[in-house]
Amino acid sequence: MNESRDLLRILLAVTETSPVERLWQSLIDQVADARAEVVTVIVSDDSWRRAASLPFTREISRISGVQAAFTHHRAEQVSADAAGRAREQLEGLARDSQLELEFEVVSEDEDARVATVVTVERDILIAPTALEGKPLFTKLARLHRRVVLVEADND
């Protein structure tokens, strides 16, 4: 068998609230003993940005109870922190499995950017069911031969 046939190309789509361990287990089940190239797309939640655009949105400190306006800058921080946590968790799982991952972060409303992030047709798309009805998912699914949806309790 030639080398390109031995290599599974997988896109793992993860949201900020996805059960990363379940998605990862699904990926491991798909890979089995094959060599795999895994690109991970972390889909950030646009609700932080939408909340920041509302004039009455406030952030309340859990420690002091002090209130502050929830700004676009703060929304970007919250979203980046959530994506960073998902990435760290996936990197830990990848180390344990000896898989290398590439990471991209896209926003739910950046479905047009998918074409620049996913430039090669993939064999398998693994995604949480929470993405199923989104335009981004439709674009991702078109670029894959097989789609594996992972049901999650918190979708």
Side-chain angles (χ1 to χ4, degrees):
M1 221 176 211
N2 69 29
E3 192 171 312
S4 65
R5 302 286 267 159
D6 291 351
L7 182 67
L8 266 178
R9 292 189 167 152
I10 300 174
L11 183 92
L12 178 64
V14 178
T15 65
E16 295 171 354
T17 59
S18 294
V20 173
E21 295 86 5
R22 269 191 170 163
L23 288 163
W24 187 260
Q25 187 56 53
S26 182
L27 182 140
I28 295 301
D29 293 346
Q30 297 299 318
V31 169
D33 292 326
R35 289 183 333 112
E37 173 185 275
V38 182
V39 173
T40 303
V41 174
I42 300 174
V43 181
S44 64
D45 187 353
D46 288 338
S47 61
W48 296 115
R49 185 181 46 79
R50 287 191 300 272
S53 69
L54 301 172
F56 54 82
T57 305
R58 312 288 293 163
E59 183 174 21
I60 303 170
S61 170
R62 288 184 186 175
I63 298 169
S64 67
V66 173
Q67 293 187 23
F70 189 72
T71 65
H72 286 286
H73 178 70
R74 181 66 179 130
E76 288 174 16
Q77 280 181 317
V78 170
S79 186
D81 289 348
R85 284 190 301 277
R87 182 178 178 148
E88 286 175 13
Q89 192 174 8
L90 285 165
E91 285 173 337
L93 292 165
R95 268 191 306 277
D96 295 344
S97 304
Q98 297 180 343
L99 282 173
E100 289 188 33
L101 301 178
E102 294 178 36
F103 287 93
E104 292 289 340
V105 178
V106 297
S107 177
E108 286 178 355
D109 66 351
E110 291 182 308
D111 56 307
R113 185 167 169 246
V114 170
T116 61
V117 171
V118 184
T119 57
V120 175
E121 183 179 277
R122 301 280 162 177
D123 297 319
I124 304 170
L125 165 65
I126 300 172
T129 54
L131 287 179
E132 193 172 12
K134 311 239 184 228
L136 177 79
F137 176 79
T138 304
K139 292 211 179 208
L140 288 173
R142 276 189 218 139
L143 299 169
H144 297 81
R145 293 187 187 107
R146 189 170 57 162
V147 175
V148 176
L149 288 171
V150 177
E151 186 103 17
D153 297 335
N154 61 347
D155 275 354

